[in-house]
Amino acid sequence: MRQTRPASTHGTAPSAGLPASLAGTRVLDLGSSGSGDRRRFEDLGAEEVVEGTPPLDRRPGPPRSFGFVHCGALPVDGRQLLLLSRLWHLAAPGASLLLGSRVLDAAEASRYLSVRAGPAGLEWIPGRLALRWLVESSGFDVLRWLPEEAVGRPSTEPFAYLAARRSERSPALLEQVGAPVDEAASPAGEASTNGGAPGSSRPDDAYAQRVPD
Amino acid sequence: MSRHRAHAAAGLRRSCPSPELFASAPAARPRSECREQLEQSAARLGPWAQGPFLLGDDLRIEGQRRSDLSWETIAAELPPGLGGARVLDLGCNAGYNSFMFASRGAGYVLGCEPSRFIEQARFLEGIYGSGVDFQATAWQQLEPQIQGRFDLVHCAGMLHREPDPVGLMDRLHELTAPGGTLLLGSMMLADPAMAEHVRFVPLGYDGDSEWRWVPGALALSAIAEAAGFEVGARFGEAPGPPGELETVSGYLRATRRKT
């Protein structure tokens, strides 16, 4: 049976996803300001806890510096890939990512994102497999899904948490910035390219162009 | 690059960019000493995705795709003359459509291409002298305060490879003049039951060498409407590439709302 958490604790990191110790670790905590997570991370020995707000238009710290990243509610605004790739740049090699997101309930839509109007604009809500692919394509390896009973739900919306680890591979998304598109995918076989910045195939360059210091 | 008999090329000249299309072109028939140089330059800039491009006489560049057929799809949606309109061709590749917009009476055409294909476009512009402004510019670098707004924006084959599709659509809206037209080309899900969904296809899935978004037709319309466009008809739909995921490719015609 699913548990339902009060909305006021939305984004709070589930204990089941936390390591036994965060000693000496810099923690980036997104979107759960005021939830009490800072105290929990500090109690686990975190060296520093930096709170941020998606979509991270301001760089909250030096690249590759965070050993633990918690994002309690991945925005479903269609810019998930952008945020995840930014997290990859901020996370240290091998860093842990604890990520929560609204998800689709319907198993048959697991590979898709539903695009529908929401109270704050268009919502892109991923199925579980789609969420996994988004995370993996952004340079993280998904380790496990947290059990539903450990996650609870901030509202009646289906919600899921996963634990992942930053891999050494750079986000596939950014590697292809500036690369030509498969022409066959374009209308009438027309060829075009994506809109990546010229010469920005290096992920750090791409990040730097999007995020002012 | 290949040579064809003049009569074989003649059938293409009505719809392909060539020096003859542009009044300022220096010559429709390259001199023999230029011919070898043109061939070498074209070969050096290859491979060519777009084509065919007529360089004069029976000299032409073949592309991997028939851009002339794609252009016919687009042209059917345009008025006979563009009446001096400002046109943006985003992700213009070697500039096929940019040249055709110019030949159709556009007053100013900006062709943007951040990849190596911009060199092909510039090579051709050196021959055609069409006046198209080719820039190695990504969409993130385009600002209405700098480049101005455009009466017609053509953007095909970009959305499904864009890490920030919402950002791209917002920028397209900013760059389109109020009441202006957006021709947005994309691959789409063929399954009507998933029309309100977007499929994210990861790297390596089903043998794909690329990741991509594949929106359903209604989802694509919703994304355009959320950015501030009024969506009209879809056109130019054709079967997409073969694979486990059935897709169609096509265009959506949208108008920027005036308010």
Side-chain angles (χ1 to χ4, degrees), chain B residues 39-259:
Chain B
E39 286 184 308
Q40 288 175 352
S41 296
R44 176 176 51 80
L45 291 170
W48 292 70
Q50 288 189 328
F53 292 102
L54 302 186
L55 303 184
D57 196 22
D58 64 343
L59 191 59
R60 70 178 189 178
I61 297 168
E62 301 288 355
Q64 294 163 346
R65 298 286 167 180
R66 287 292 300 273
S67 304
D68 52 329
L69 301 181
S70 172
W71 169 253
E72 287 178 8
T73 301
I74 299 167
E77 294 294 311
L78 301 176
L82 288 175
R86 286 173 52 83
V87 178
L88 171 63
D89 188 12
L90 198 53
C92 68
N93 200 281
Y96 194 100
N97 296 318
S98 304
F99 292 125
M100 298 310 288
F101 287 128
S103 73
R104 193 88 173 208
Y108 171 70
V109 181
L110 174 59
C112 294
E113 178 55 68
S115 79
R116 65 172 180 85
F117 289 114
I118 192 68
E119 296 306 324
Q120 296 179 351
R122 286 172 171 161
F123 165 72
L124 292 168
E125 175 59 13
I127 298 167
Y128 297 157
S130 71
V132 173
D133 182 4
F134 286 110
Q135 296 184 12
T137 304
W139 66 264
Q140 294 93 337
Q141 298 165 312
L142 293 174
E143 303 279 353
Q145 296 84 353
I146 298 171
Q147 284 86 9
R149 289 197 165 87
F150 296 86
D151 305 300
L152 175 64
V153 175
H154 174 257
C155 175
M158 283 180 59
L159 190 74
H160 61 277
R161 288 282 309 281
E162 174 51 53
D164 184 12
V166 173
L168 170 60
M169 290 305 301
D170 287 346
R171 189 60 56 90
L172 288 174
H173 178 259
E174 291 171 6
L175 291 165
T176 307
T181 299
L182 167 67
L183 302 179
L184 179 65
S186 176
M187 66 189 310
M188 290 175 269
L189 296 169
D191 183 0
M194 304 310 290
E196 296 180 9
H197 291 72
V198 171
R199 174 78 175 267
F200 179 71
V201 182
L203 200 68
Y205 181 83
D206 195 28
D208 275 338
S209 59
E210 298 163 345
W211 64 271
R212 61 189 61 176
W213 300 106
V214 187
L218 294 178
L220 185 62
S221 294
I223 293 165
E225 285 174 359
F229 290 97
E230 192 171 307
V231 175
R234 298 198 306 271
F235 66 94
E237 290 192 5
E244 181 264 351
L245 181 63
E246 280 190 57
T247 62
V248 295
S249 58
Y251 274 95
L252 177 152
R253 183 189 184 97
T255 304
R256 179 183 158 150
R257 293 192 200 103
K258 292 187 177 176
T259 54

Side-chain angles (χ1 to χ4, degrees), chain A residues 55-61 86 205-213:
Chain A
L56 287 180
D57 286 333
R58 290 278 171 191
R59 188 180 293 186
R86 286 175 177 176
D205 289 347
Y207 184 88
Q209 287 183 9
R210 290 171 176 149
V211 183
D213 287 318

